[in-house]
């Protein structure tokens, strides 16, 4: 009997994201009150909850757009935003934080495209300016990514010539151009007209199927049920309940989760 050939892509035992007692406050308002969460490589975690529960703030802490006040955050085994010496945290220099962010793609509610650049130019900008990728290679990759998100015919269109759904798909392609290990989505369909939501969710579904690690703050319960590996319900700065999306949505165990879902399902 021949020996089994080991996989060329061994599964990492290191979580892609690990949050440990993460706290964040703005002035006297405590927004995150001790978040503990692990996200495995290749996992899709959907985060739901009422407005003001801390969902978006938590996402922004993962790539150090917001500085945490207490706790620890790691991405792919590396402490985010800080180095630790003697049990104390020391904030990294801006350029070191920027280097960490290259591995983390983020898609916001608003598309934030450069209005004076075409779709392709928007996608090519960061790889050439930040990573030093040659323009011809970046353009070839940009065209490939725009094709991947269904915009092969719109590579030379400007943002004002695109629908909201198309602009959001350009934003996803732009994030992917940096070849991130992790994608963060902050309510990516909330600013879209209802008929445009599906085209963005289809792209995200394809990303999940390709094995991309994703944390998605969303109100799209159908997407969470179908695509998510884990569903996290947050309220008032804490994780109230988490588990298999189908189980949480059909049989929530916590009264607060039950009350929230009764209003949105």
């Amino acid at each position: 009997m021949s020996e089994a050939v080991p996989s060329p892509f061994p599964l990492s035992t290191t979580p892609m994201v690990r949050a440990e007692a993460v706290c964040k406050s703005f002035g006297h308002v405590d927004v995150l009150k001790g978040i503990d969460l692990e996200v495995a490589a290749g996992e899709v975690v959907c985060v739901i909850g009422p407005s003001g529960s801390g969902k978006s703030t938590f996402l922004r802490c993962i790539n150090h757009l917001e500085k945490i006040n207490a706790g620890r955050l790691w991405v792919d085994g590396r402490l985010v935003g800080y180095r630790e010496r003697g049990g104390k945290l020391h904030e990294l220099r801006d350029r070191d934080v920027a280097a960490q962010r290259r591995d983390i793609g983020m898609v916001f509610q608003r598309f934030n495209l450069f209005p004076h650049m075409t779709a392709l130019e928007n996608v090519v900008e960061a790889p050439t300016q930040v990573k030093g990728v040659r323009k011809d290679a970046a353009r070839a990759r940009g065209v490939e990514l725009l094709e991947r998100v269904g915009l092969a015919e719109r590579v030379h269109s400007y943002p004002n010539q695109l629908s909201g759904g198309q602009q959001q798909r350009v934003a996803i392609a732009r994030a992917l151009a940096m070849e991130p290990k992790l994608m963060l989505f902050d309510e990516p369909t909330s600013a879209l007209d209802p008929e445009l939501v599906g085209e963005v969710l289809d792209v995200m579904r394809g990303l999940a199927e390709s094995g991309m690690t994703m944390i998605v703050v969303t109100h799209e319960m159908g997407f969470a049920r179908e695509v998510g590996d884990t569903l996290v319900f947050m309220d008032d700065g804490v994780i109230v309940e988490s588990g298999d999306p189908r189980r949480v949505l059909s049989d929530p165990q916590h009264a607060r989760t039950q009350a929230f879902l009764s209003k949105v399902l």
Side-chain angles (χ1 to χ4, degrees):
M1 182 181 295
S2 60
E3 294 184 5
V5 178
S7 167
F9 305 107
L11 293 175
S12 172
T13 56
T14 301
M16 182 58 71
V17 178
R18 180 156 71 97
E20 184 180 281
V22 169
C23 296
K24 173 64 183 177
S25 60
F26 295 101
H28 298 295
V29 179
D30 295 325
V31 179
L32 300 177
K33 304 174 183 178
I35 300 294
D36 294 301
L37 182 69
E38 282 195 4
V39 181
E43 185 177 7
V44 178
V45 174
C46 293
V47 184
I48 64 172
S51 297
S53 59
K55 308 182 301 296
S56 295
T57 298
F58 178 56
L59 275 197
R60 293 173 65 85
C61 288
I62 291 173
N63 64 2
H64 207 60
L65 288 175
E66 298 290 354
K67 301 175 184 179
I68 63 176
N69 299 114
R72 303 283 192 279
L73 264 169
W74 293 265
V75 171
D76 200 22
R78 295 180 61 194
L79 199 60
V80 173
Y82 300 91
R83 67 181 185 279
E84 189 167 4
R85 285 191 311 203
K88 293 185 178 181
L89 294 182
H90 302 269
E91 190 166 6
L92 296 177
R93 295 173 296 180
D94 288 346
R95 70 178 185 183
D96 294 324
V97 172
Q100 286 188 333
R101 287 199 189 113
R102 295 175 195 171
D103 291 332
I104 306 172
M106 187 158 185
V107 178
F108 299 88
Q109 296 178 36
R110 295 292 175 179
F111 325 121
N112 299 325
L113 300 179
F114 295 114
H116 63 289
M117 293 183 178
T118 65
L120 181 58
E121 289 167 343
N122 267 281
V123 173
V124 166
E125 180 72 4
T128 55
Q129 297 300 318
V130 177
K131 296 183 76 173
V133 177
R134 290 196 337 267
K135 282 195 175 182
D136 57 345
R139 287 180 66 85
R141 176 63 173 155
V143 169
E144 178 185 315
L145 287 170
L146 288 168
E147 289 175 349
R148 181 176 179 181
V149 300
L151 293 174
E153 306 300 319
R154 306 308 299 267
V155 294
H156 300 303
S157 298
Y158 289 89
N160 65 2
Q161 298 171 318
L162 301 172
S163 70
Q166 290 170 331
Q167 290 185 61
Q168 192 62 294
R169 284 186 279 156
V170 174
I172 293 172
R174 178 180 59 183
L176 292 175
M178 293 294 286
E179 300 184 338
K181 299 176 181 177
L182 168 69
M183 285 286 286
L184 308 176
F185 292 88
D186 187 8
E187 299 189 29
T189 60
S190 65
L192 301 178
D193 292 333
E195 65 270 20
L196 302 177
V197 169
E199 63 191 49
V200 174
L201 294 181
D202 284 344
V203 171
M204 294 169 63
R205 188 175 288 107
L207 279 180
E209 291 170 353
S210 75
M212 175 64 73
T213 311
M214 298 162 58
I215 304 178
V216 184
V217 171
T218 184
H219 294 297
E220 301 294 335
M221 300 301 164
F223 177 86
R225 181 186 290 107
E226 296 166 20
V227 181
D229 297 301
T230 301
L231 183 65
V232 172
F233 172 66
M234 287 183 64
D235 187 38
D236 195 27
V238 299
I239 293 176
V240 176
E241 187 168 349
S242 66
D244 178 88
R246 295 165 188 80
R247 197 277 301 163
V248 174
L249 291 173
S250 64
D251 186 26
Q253 301 299 297
H254 195 282
R256 184 65 191 93
T257 317
Q258 295 168 7
F260 174 77
L261 291 176
S262 70
K263 296 176 182 177
V264 300
L265 292 178

